[in-house]
Amino acid sequence: MIRRPLSFVLVASIAIFSCFSALAATKPELQAQFRTWLTRDFWPEAEAKGISKATFDRAFAGVSLNFDLPDLVVPGEKAQTPKKQTQSEFGSPGKYFNDKTINAVTAGGTARAGQYARILNAVESKYGVPGEIVLAIWGRESGYGSVKIPNNAFTVLGTKAFMATRREMFREELLAALEIVQKGFIDAPSMKSSWAGALGQPQFMPSSYLAHAVDFDGDGKRDIWNSVPDTLGSIGHYLAQYGWQKGRDWGYEVTVPASVSCALEGPDQGKPFAAWKKLGIARVNGTEFPSGEAKREGFLLMPAGRHGPAFIVTKNFYVLKEYNMSDLYALFIGHVGDRIAHGAKGFSTVWGDVGGLYRSDIAGLQRKLETKGYDAGGADGFPGFKTRRSIGDWQEKQGLAPTCFPDKDLIQAIR
């Protein structure tokens, strides 16, 4: 079960159920089925977990299915993959770091670093997480609280628990949402969520709220919807619980000589910083790695393979990934944090204009790699580090210069 927050930038990965014309005649029937499901199927489980009937009734008062949500499947039917894809989701990873977004989150964080200095210092003192990292997450997730979160959480979670492609996961989240109300942390009508069911300014799923949200302003509530101290404290607590190492940076942009294979990337191929240095890897700004890191483990990160910036990251980078399982997300947070804290500039290496592929193209490539014995991380259509380094390994075996990133020519070449 997923117990991490969902970023508002998370890309929907499954086909959106949008056959409204075909569904129109059955909507009243589905609404009736939903009410029956709540009463006969879901309520007994909620009651067994200690939810009172009064809490249950308040939570679902006036709640009906929302057919506009993505990833819905009529009960009894199978999810259908769209026959035609119209979006080229995988261009250059550099698109994720567009100036408009980077500058907005950086400027917002810089302004709030002074405004909330006392709270941020308290968060860092208690949890060891730097204020700039907490700010970067707050800015990325909800625009520092400015992004409207309009959905009734019980409408979203109820709809998805009844008829989403991941019903069991959302069923557990719906139970967690009821527990939040049962414990008095917030009343049911005030529990607002994203279209995916993520709550409040840090965008925690309900199970993450129960595990990680804290009352940092001392008013007896864990109010991540309205309280800045609770929001900042909860983000810091989340990262601390996933193992944030106090006093360590998240990582450093580096130059990687051609003699060093890009296939060395990944959290399972770590080396001491001193070993990376011995291979000729150096920081782009010309300074040495911190002396305290020499014997500690670092990891090669090349999100665009040889077509973009490279990094040696610490375990803290992978703690950031626990917030959103995306290399680009974690890199965004670390990079913006550096800008907030130090006025850092953009990456030294330019992101290449690569990609132009559909997710199905990459999934097909992953299947081909796996039939050849490579571990591409599954055919999910996302070019993660296992896919990138598998590409590099294959290229090296073919006598090609490894790029470690998918492109159209590569898809044609791997057969």
Side-chain angles (χ1 to χ4, degrees):
M1 175 181 171
I2 297 174
R3 293 194 178 276
R4 56 177 63 92
L6 298 179
S7 171
F8 68 82
V9 298
L10 183 66
V11 178
S13 61
I14 305 176
I16 294 177
F17 182 78
S18 57
C19 302
F20 296 114
S21 59
L23 183 60
T26 66
K27 282 183 179 180
E29 295 177 3
L30 286 170
Q31 295 286 11
Q33 290 174 23
F34 174 61
R35 301 309 302 186
T36 299
W37 173 82
L38 281 175
T39 302
R40 298 182 181 177
D41 185 329
F42 190 65
W43 160 242
E45 184 176 3
E47 183 181 31
K49 290 186 176 294
I51 305 301
S52 71
K53 190 64 164 64
T55 294
F56 191 88
D57 289 344
R58 284 199 306 274
F60 292 105
V63 168
S64 60
L65 295 173
N66 181 350
F67 296 104
D68 293 327
L69 295 173
D71 304 347
L72 302 185
V73 180
V74 173
E77 295 186 5
K78 293 182 178 181
Q80 296 183 355
T81 302
K83 295 181 180 179
K84 186 176 181 180
Q85 297 191 52
T86 58
Q87 290 188 332
S88 179
E89 293 289 353
F90 297 102
S92 169
K95 293 179 180 179
Y96 194 88
F97 301 92
N98 66 85
D99 287 341
K100 182 179 180 181
T101 303
I102 286 277
N103 292 339
V105 180
T106 299
T110 301
R112 288 165 178 81
Q115 182 181 1
Y116 298 113
R118 182 186 60 81
I119 298 169
L120 291 166
N121 288 336
V123 170
E124 183 166 4
S125 177
K126 185 167 186 176
Y127 300 121
V129 182
E132 62 267 20
I133 293 295
V134 174
L135 285 170
I137 290 175
W138 184 26
R140 185 62 175 171
E141 292 298 331
S142 64
Y144 301 104
S146 67
V147 173
K148 292 184 178 180
I149 305 172
N151 300 297
N152 178 294
F154 288 99
T155 295
V156 172
L157 295 168
T159 299
K160 287 180 172 286
F162 177 66
M163 57 183 296
T165 52
R166 295 178 292 166
R167 287 192 295 274
E168 288 305 312
M169 185 274 279
F170 283 105
R171 185 183 183 104
E172 291 297 321
E173 295 297 345
L174 185 57
L175 287 167
L178 286 170
E179 186 177 345
I180 291 170
V181 175
Q182 181 72 32
K183 290 182 174 179
F185 294 128
I186 190 172
D187 62 306
S190 299
M191 188 185 291
K192 301 299 182 181
S193 79
S194 70
W195 60 264
L199 307 176
Q201 296 183 43
Q203 287 288 272
F204 283 177
M205 292 301 287
S207 58
S208 284
Y209 175 98
L210 290 171
H212 308 300
V214 296
D215 171 22
F216 210 73
D217 59 14
D219 68 351
K221 304 285 186 180
R222 303 183 197 176
D223 187 1
I224 61 172
W225 291 267
N226 306 296
S227 169
V228 171
D230 288 3
T231 294
L232 300 180
S234 296
I235 293 171
H237 185 229
Y238 183 100
L239 296 178
Q241 286 192 301
Y242 274 101
W244 184 273
Q245 296 178 337
K246 185 177 181 178
R248 294 192 83 184
D249 209 331
W250 65 271
Y252 311 89
E253 187 181 355
V254 297
T255 56
V256 180
S259 59
V260 178
S261 174
C262 51
L264 291 175
E265 182 183 8
D268 53 350
Q269 298 193 105
K271 300 177 186 294
F273 271 77
W276 290 116
K277 180 181 176 180
K278 191 174 182 179
L279 290 174
I281 292 177
R283 294 180 67 177
V284 294
N285 63 10
T287 63
E288 294 290 334
F289 294 117
S291 58
E293 294 287 4
K295 295 182 179 180
R296 303 182 80 172
E297 198 170 30
F299 310 88
L300 180 62
L301 173 73
M302 301 182 74
R306 287 286 181 179
H307 301 293
F311 309 84
I312 298 295
V313 299
T314 70
K315 289 185 178 180
N316 283 344
F317 175 85
Y318 295 103
V319 173
L320 293 176
K321 281 192 67 174
E322 293 291 346
Y323 211 98
N324 182 314
M325 291 302 292
S326 161
D327 287 336
L328 298 183
Y329 176 90
L331 182 57
F332 182 99
I333 298 303
H335 181 60
V336 169
D338 286 347
R339 288 190 171 201
I340 293 171
H342 311 298
K345 303 300 181 183
F347 300 115
S348 295
T349 303
V350 176
W351 296 94
D353 185 16
V354 292
L357 300 173
Y358 294 128
R359 182 180 169 191
S360 57
D361 294 328
I362 296 173
L365 171 64
Q366 290 167 324
R367 283 190 289 269
K368 290 178 182 178
L369 285 167
E370 296 202 331
T371 61
K372 295 179 182 296
Y374 295 94
D375 178 9
D380 61 359
F382 294 99
F385 75 89
K386 288 186 176 181
T387 298
R388 297 193 297 264
R389 71 188 186 191
S390 294
I391 290 170
D393 281 337
W394 180 86
Q395 289 171 321
E396 287 181 348
K397 289 181 179 179
Q398 306 307 308
L400 302 171
T403 63
C404 295
F405 199 76
D407 58 44
K408 292 178 180 178
D409 290 339
L410 182 68
I411 288 174
Q412 293 298 319
I414 299 181
R415 295 186 180 279

